């Protein structure tokens, strides 16, 4: 039964490699760089083989000697392809790690600045609130004193007595 279920799965269900997750470590980028590595390797290897084959065929030394010369150059071509692909993909991964570290440092700095700015705005808001409340109390007290000086009754509630 299990093998029948596996046969019925489509290509997207069978392709169970890990999906890119922004919370994953940048050091765990094997799945992201494998295509670049393969592409660079094939580009260098095929280009090298084309150059060697073209050169050996144009020298016209006979079929056996041509193939022996091509096989002799394969070691160098494959070494160059592996070196180029590894250097470029690992170099890019190294740059990604550095960029990720720099981004984290900048994000922490921006978060700190954002928090400082929000704290400053809150403090200013509280100061404005206190100033408005003080002014309301001063106005209320002035009206009360004015009413008392004229001998009129004053039954207006204090500013913080009426909840809004």
């Amino acid at each position: 039964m299990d093998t029948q279920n596996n046969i019925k799965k489509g290509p997207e269900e069978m392709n169970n490699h890990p999906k890119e997750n922004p919370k994953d470590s940048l050091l765990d980028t094997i799945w992201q760089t494998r295509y670049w590595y393969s592409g660079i390797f094939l580009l260098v290897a095929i280009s090298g083989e084309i150059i060697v084959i073209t050169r050996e065929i144009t020298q016209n030394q006979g079929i056996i000697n041509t193939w022996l010369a091509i096989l002799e150059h394969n070691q160098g071509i494959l070494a160059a392809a592996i070196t180029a692909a590894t250097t470029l993909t690992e170099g890019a991964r190294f740059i990604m790690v550095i960029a990720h570290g720099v981004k984290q440092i900048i994000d922490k700095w921006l978060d700190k600045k954002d928090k400082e700015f929000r704290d400053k705005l809150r403090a200013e808001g509280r100061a404005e609130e206190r100033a408005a409340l003080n002014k309301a109390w001063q106005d209320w007290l002035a009206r009360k004193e004015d009413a008392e000086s004229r001998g009129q009754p004053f039954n207006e509630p204090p500013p913080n007595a009426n909840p809004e």
Side-chain angles (χ1 to χ4, degrees), residues 53-66:
I53 290 170
T54 305
R55 191 185 75 190
E56 292 300 327
I57 288 176
T58 57
Q59 287 182 356
N60 208 8
Q61 297 177 356
I63 194 85
I64 302 286
N65 289 336
T66 299

Side-chain angles (χ1 to χ4, degrees), residues 33-101:
T33 58
R34 71 173 187 256
Y35 297 119
W36 282 105
Y37 183 89
S38 301
I40 293 168
F41 175 80
L42 289 173
L43 179 71
V44 173
I46 291 171
S47 300
E49 289 294 334
I50 289 172
I51 291 169
V52 168
I53 290 170
T54 305
R55 191 185 75 190
E56 292 300 327
I57 288 176
T58 57
Q59 287 182 356
N60 208 8
Q61 297 177 356
I63 194 85
I64 302 286
N65 289 336
T66 299
W67 280 111
L68 288 175
I70 290 170
L71 292 175
E72 185 179 314
H73 291 292
N74 274 347
Q75 291 174 349
I77 291 170
L78 293 178
I82 290 170
T83 302
T86 303
T87 303
L88 291 173
T89 54
E90 293 304 315
R93 189 178 305 166
F94 179 71
I95 290 170
M96 287 171 46
V97 168
I98 290 174
H100 182 69

